[in-house]
Amino acid sequence: MINVNGEQSEWSRGKTVRDVIKEKNYLFPLLIARINGKLIPRDKYDSTVIPDEATVDIIHLMSGG
Amino acid sequence: MADREMITIEIDDKPVSVGKDSTILEAAREIDIYIPALCNSELVEPYAACRLCIVEVDDGRKKILVTSCNYPVRKPIKVYTSSEKVLRNRKIILEMMLSRWPGVQVIKDLAKHAGIQKPRYQHPAVDLNPNACILCGLCMRICEQGIWENIINFTNRGAVRAVRMPYDSDQPHCIGCGACAEICPTGAITMVDDPNHPHDADMVRRAGMRITEEMIRFDEEQCDMRGVGTAHLVEIMDAYDLLPVMNYQYGKHEDTPKISSDVLRKFFTKGKPDGCWLGCTMACAKAIEDFELKTGPYKGEKVLVDGPEYETLGGSSNMGIFDPRFVIEYNFYCDTYGLDTISFSTGLSFVMECYETGILDKEKTGGLEIPFGAKDAALELLHQIGRGEGFGLIAGKGIRYMKKYFVENFGADPDFVTDIGMEAKGMEYSEYVTKESLAQQGGYGIALKGAQHDEAWLIFMDMVNKQIPTFEDKAEALHYFPMWRTWFGLCGLCKLPWNDVEPANNAETDEPAKVPGHVQGYCEFFEGVTGKPQTMDSLIRMSEKVYTFQRVFNLKMGFGKREHDVIPYRSAGPVTVTEYESRQERYDTQLRVDVGIDPSGMSSEEKVAAMRKYREAQYEQLLDAVYKRRGWTNDGVPTVEKLEELGIDFPDVIELVRKHGG
């Protein structure tokens, strides 16, 4: 299991940051991803694999009126 | 964005891996190999006008000279930036440039570096001006590609070629963004700052240009504000169950794609900067031309419609209407009648729910059948409001008036209309579902002007990111963000450039939600205009004085206490069994985990009641925490100590707050 934004979530071998974003349907474009506190650059979402038991933060910024 | 295919090339025998279709110039910069280039900028498409960036490419079959700024890397190649052939040809180009513009410093420097003492040519159109235009085309390209305008361009050919505005006259369409002057390598274009007498015009311009650069480089992949404006939020809010549907009962709908930004994009015909804030390059305002109206006094005429923005679209889903042509038409007529699309659509959502629940019927509305989704009736009611007649005379006065009227005249249950009438302090809610964000419930309920999100939009921080879990965390956010956003109002600035585009390094900052890089930009903007240096804290302090004073003003006018910070229950949770059951799994889990009761065996009515008891208590605890953080009494009145601390302890203000226990 991994913890995504404070909630337990299924883990599978090879799961990437992009997979989590898709799974959670996080459509908002202004995201910041951290795995166990470490910042993951946006252009590495596809290639960064999440280890089991990791804490994943997908921080949404704000926008709009 | 998928990871790019990488290709390794050699530049001057050094290997470098770059994404496919990167240019040789970009690859060289990756490994700090210098190639001179006068007409190149990361902000515009390559143009290959100056030819100085020539390099020699060996693709394994032949060696050729190419301009590195626009030669795409598509296979492994060897590149030579300083071969004998390159240096010889570059020197000839520089000699020609120097012969024409001998006073321009950047050309003198490059010529000296190339070993040129004096050019061998005499140019017939020699220009001795040290700030001469060297025809690099950066200015016209940034205007067209970066700003989406066409204010300046090349005129004439050959030796008389020059950059000009059309007909050599001032162009009213120029938004004065300053990008052309900023990118000009010779100072041929300068900004005239005299009219406003800023303390330090360069400081203002630098702060502005940083935003412009971010818009050019990142907007398309971030919020696409220049493409579709705030309409991009429609599908996003739907995805997070935040798009109001049927008077805020639900947060998403299967028909949302019919009014998504992709649909609106096809209608928009005007996307250029519209000058709503002169010099702004975010250009989020969109317009639709030649739209043929189907109803009302202009029926059959083709008109220009300013919008629609997110709130107008969200207002439509709130009425259960998913027809882009309806949205555009009601947008036009609200503008024409001088009505706010938010108040109109939220008000009509209330009317529609009252119709569906039997509070209203055809007789009471003067013949209008107006359940959710009734777009023709909605437009007819809009026209009645505009004309000030029929049921429009009642609906046009807003939800607070309607609630009272429906209770007194139609026998409506006062508790039910209070629960579903989405207004606070008499102002209609804007278009976000707040049930799952306690902080945002406070954002609407405590806002000084009424239920508007422009003091604080905290739903993602609270509901999705779980960044502000405690009451104190939420109270801190409900202190900082309202104060910060008040500052925009104090200065007459728009909030959108603050966080609808993001600096490249924002993720690396301590508090990315605050966008510290942009806050710093606003400090510089203020200092550049007034000469008074600022920090994030000093800007917040400015606002805190005004914000607290506004609360005192509300108090004076009878709106400034805890009893006025109430919210309709639908803002906090499910009012009806139908609403509860539509998200039963979520609510049952919350009852179990957050409230600590076992929902199994409970009826839906009992669950609604239990959830309500819990959520209403949470809201009261939030008010306690926010008032404490702001230096107000538990009744929401600013204390004398706070007024003294802020320097707004005027005798009549002190007398007023004392009267109310402050």
Side-chain angles (χ1 to χ4, degrees):
Chain A
M1 296 293 277
I2 53 175
N3 185 299
V4 180
N5 285 0
E7 287 174 4
Q8 289 299 104
S9 196
E10 289 294 324
W11 176 82
S12 57
R13 192 171 299 279
K15 186 176 251 189
T16 64
V17 174
R18 179 78 60 203
D19 293 335
V20 169
I21 289 171
K22 277 189 185 156
E23 192 177 291
K24 293 278 183 183
N25 199 23
Y26 287 158
L27 281 192
F28 189 60
L30 299 181
L31 299 177
I32 293 172
R34 294 201 181 98
I35 299 177
N36 295 327
K38 183 171 175 282
L39 183 69
I40 310 299
R42 271 180 201 158
D43 60 2
K44 301 290 180 217
Y45 287 180
D46 284 316
S47 52
T48 304
V49 172
I50 299 167
D52 196 9
E53 304 294 324
T55 297
V56 181
D57 294 307
I58 310 286
I59 303 295
H60 292 55
L61 300 177
M62 301 175 223
S63 76
Chain B
M1 186 175 60
D3 295 359
R4 285 173 78 183
E5 179 189 343
M6 302 301 282
I7 295 174
T8 301
I9 63 172
E10 279 184 21
I11 304 179
D12 296 341
D13 300 323
K14 285 188 192 167
V16 57
S17 291
V18 290
K20 189 182 176 191
D21 284 331
S22 299
T23 66
I24 292 175
L25 187 60
E26 287 167 342
R29 285 173 178 166
E30 285 274 315
I31 48 173
D32 295 326
I33 290 181
Y34 171 70
I35 300 173
L38 277 179
C39 69
N40 181 264
S41 164
E42 289 175 0
L43 301 180
V44 291
E45 294 295 316
Y47 193 51
C50 75
R51 320 302 291 177
L52 287 177
C53 68
I54 50 170
V55 293
E56 199 167 5
V57 166
D58 180 353
D59 66 0
R61 291 185 296 132
K62 59 185 184 304
K63 280 186 172 182
I64 51 169
L65 277 183
V66 301
T67 42
S68 62
C69 70
N70 64 348
Y71 190 94
V73 174
R74 289 182 180 154
K75 59 183 180 181
I77 50 175
K78 291 183 177 178
V79 177
Y80 303 96
T81 68
S82 306
S83 67
E84 186 276 332
K85 195 173 174 184
V86 166
L87 294 178
R88 179 160 41 85
N89 282 280
R90 191 177 289 149
K91 192 171 175 181
I92 293 168
I93 294 164
L94 275 166
E95 275 187 285
M96 289 193 282
M97 284 182 163
L98 189 64
S99 70
R100 177 151 192 203
W101 301 297
V104 172
Q105 194 59 45
V106 65
I107 290 179
K108 288 199 291 187
D109 291 346
L110 284 168
K112 189 177 171 188
H113 187 255
I116 301 165
Q117 301 299 320
K118 197 172 174 231
R120 289 170 286 171
Y121 320 114
Q122 282 242 310
H123 200 288
V126 62
D127 184 347
L128 301 174
N129 183 354
N131 300 117
C133 170
I134 59 170
L135 304 173
C136 65
L138 280 169
C139 55
M140 62 154 203
R141 279 181 289 150
I142 198 156
C143 189
E144 183 189 357
Q145 298 165 20
I147 314 300
W148 295 9
E149 284 287 1
N150 274 297
I151 304 301
I152 47 178
N153 214 323
F154 283 129
T155 59
N156 299 320
R157 294 176 185 160
V160 288
R161 186 172 169 86
V163 172
R164 292 279 185 273
M165 290 187 181
Y167 310 108
D168 274 346
S169 61
D170 288 348
Q171 285 301 299
H173 301 296
C174 175
I175 60 169
C177 68
C180 55
E182 186 68 22
I183 205 168
C184 176
T186 69
I189 301 175
T190 54
M191 295 290 287
V192 179
D193 300 307
D194 287 348
N196 291 319
H197 306 293
H199 170 77
D200 183 343
D202 281 338
M203 184 178 272
V204 176
R205 267 204 300 276
R206 280 195 302 272
M209 268 311 291
R210 286 207 297 273
I211 299 274
T212 296
E213 279 193 37
E214 290 163 10
M215 284 304 300
I216 294 170
R217 295 172 66 175
F218 309 132
D219 179 53
E220 199 173 340
E221 68 183 58
Q222 290 187 4
C223 295
D224 199 14
M225 293 294 277
R226 299 202 300 181
V228 293
T230 55
H232 81 100
L233 290 168
V234 172
E235 51 269 32
I236 291 169
M237 291 305 139
D238 186 87
Y240 291 82
D241 208 21
L242 296 169
L243 181 75
V245 171
M246 320 282 186
N247 196 28
Y248 303 89
Q249 291 180 82
Y250 316 112
K252 60 165 65 226
H253 195 276
E254 62 185 13
D255 287 333
T256 298
K258 293 178 182 171
I259 55 166
S260 69
S261 63
D262 276 347
V263 173
L264 268 297
R265 193 189 300 272
K266 290 172 192 147
F267 282 95
F268 291 139
T269 55
K270 286 278 184 194
K272 290 182 170 186
D274 71 346
C276 78
W277 214 95
L278 204 62
C280 175
T281 47
M282 183 157 268
C284 63
K286 302 289 154 240
I288 296 166
E289 295 164 296
D290 293 331
F291 182 78
E292 188 172 334
L293 297 163
K294 300 279 184 267
T295 67
Y298 299 105
K299 181 179 176 179
E301 290 191 34
K302 288 185 174 177
V303 297
L304 183 143
V305 186
D306 181 359
E309 297 184 49
Y310 167 73
E311 300 289 343
T312 308
L313 291 152
S316 194
S317 59
N318 211 4
M319 293 184 278
I321 302 172
F322 297 87
D323 175 350
R325 291 186 177 276
F326 166 82
V327 180
I328 298 164
E329 183 132 351
Y330 106 83
N331 187 146
F332 174 82
Y333 275 117
C334 279
D335 289 354
T336 302
Y337 293 138
L339 299 170
D340 164 35
T341 56
I342 296 175
S343 291
F344 170 76
S345 59
T346 300
L348 251 70
S349 305
F350 173 69
V351 166
M352 288 169 164
E353 187 166 358
C354 287
Y355 192 94
E356 297 229 348
T357 52
I359 294 168
L360 293 174
D361 57 29
K362 221 171 146 179
E363 195 181 319
K364 294 184 178 102
T365 61
L368 284 174
E369 284 183 60
I370 193 158
F372 288 120
K375 56 189 176 187
D376 293 343
L379 285 169
E380 173 52 28
L381 188 48
L382 173 56
H383 296 310
Q384 286 186 12
I385 292 171
R387 292 196 298 267
E389 62 181 44
F391 189 62
L393 268 176
I394 299 165
K397 287 180 179 158
I399 291 176
R400 182 162 282 198
Y401 177 88
M402 280 193 279
K403 287 193 295 189
K404 190 165 180 284
Y405 191 92
F406 294 172
V407 169
E408 289 175 356
N409 295 280
F410 301 151
D413 174 359
D415 292 338
F416 182 65
V417 292
T418 299
D419 283 348
I420 67 162
M422 296 295 281
E423 58 91 6
K425 299 188 178 75
M427 180 188 261
E428 282 71 20
Y429 267 60
S430 59
E431 310 307 328
Y432 298 99
V433 173
T434 55
K435 287 173 197 163
E436 302 311 315
S437 169
L438 178 60
Q440 189 58 35
Q441 292 160 29
Y444 275 108
I446 311 168
L448 295 173
K449 73 161 78 72
Q452 247 295 340
H453 62 277
D454 65 353
E455 280 196 8
W457 199 94
L458 304 172
I459 302 180
F460 282 160
M461 275 183 98
D462 193 26
M463 180 186 101
V464 184
N465 304 342
K466 311 279 195 310
Q467 280 176 294
I468 44 176
T470 67
F471 289 108
E472 286 68 30
D473 294 334
K474 294 183 207 300
E476 186 57 39
L478 280 167
H479 176 70
Y480 177 83
F481 288 102
M483 300 310 147
W484 170 236
R485 289 185 176 222
T486 293
W487 187 81
F488 291 102
L490 300 185
C491 296
L493 295 171
C494 172
K495 159 263 156 198
L496 297 175
W498 160 52
N499 68 351
D500 281 76
V501 67
E502 179 194 315
N505 68 348
N506 193 47
E508 296 153 26
T509 59
D510 290 342
E511 294 182 285
K514 293 181 179 176
V515 201
H518 284 181
V519 175
Q520 177 59 30
Y522 285 107
C523 291
E524 290 167 25
F525 179 80
F526 193 94
E527 183 182 349
V529 173
T530 66
K532 296 174 182 169
Q534 300 299 326
T535 62
M536 183 190 279
D537 289 342
S538 68
L539 298 187
I540 295 297
R541 199 66 167 172
M542 274 183 220
S543 289
E544 200 178 359
K545 288 181 187 198
V546 175
Y547 190 94
T548 308
F549 199 76
Q550 286 172 333
R551 180 72 175 188
V552 172
F553 188 83
N554 272 10
L555 189 65
K556 186 176 178 181
M557 300 307 289
F559 285 91
K561 295 169 85 169
R562 188 174 187 123
E563 65 183 289
H564 304 109
D565 293 337
V566 293
I567 53 173
Y569 181 62
R570 180 161 285 157
S571 178
V575 172
T576 64
V577 166
T578 314
E579 268 174 275
Y580 188 100
E581 289 176 348
S582 74
R583 274 103 180 119
Q584 180 156 348
E585 190 185 339
R586 175 197 296 165
Y587 292 136
D588 280 359
T589 304
Q590 289 177 1
L591 282 178
R592 201 174 291 113
V593 176
D594 300 334
V595 187
I597 56 176
D598 181 5
S600 52
M602 289 171 76
S603 70
S604 290
E605 285 80 0
E606 288 168 335
K607 291 188 212 174
V608 167
M611 181 62 85
R612 179 169 189 145
K613 190 178 168 198
Y614 172 74
R615 292 199 176 190
E616 286 183 336
Q618 292 268 301
Y619 185 73
E620 294 304 322
Q621 279 184 269
L622 178 75
L623 290 187
D624 291 345
V626 174
Y627 293 161
K628 189 179 170 193
R629 172 62 185 88
R630 291 183 179 180
W632 299 356
T633 69
N634 212 36
D635 199 21
V637 177
T639 62
V640 170
E641 294 74 34
K642 190 68 185 176
L643 298 175
E644 286 170 349
E645 179 197 317
L646 294 171
I648 53 173
D649 51 333
F650 310 113
D652 45 350
V653 170
I654 297 285
E655 190 188 331
L656 178 72
V657 302
R658 280 216 169 111
K659 203 166 77 186
H660 291 282

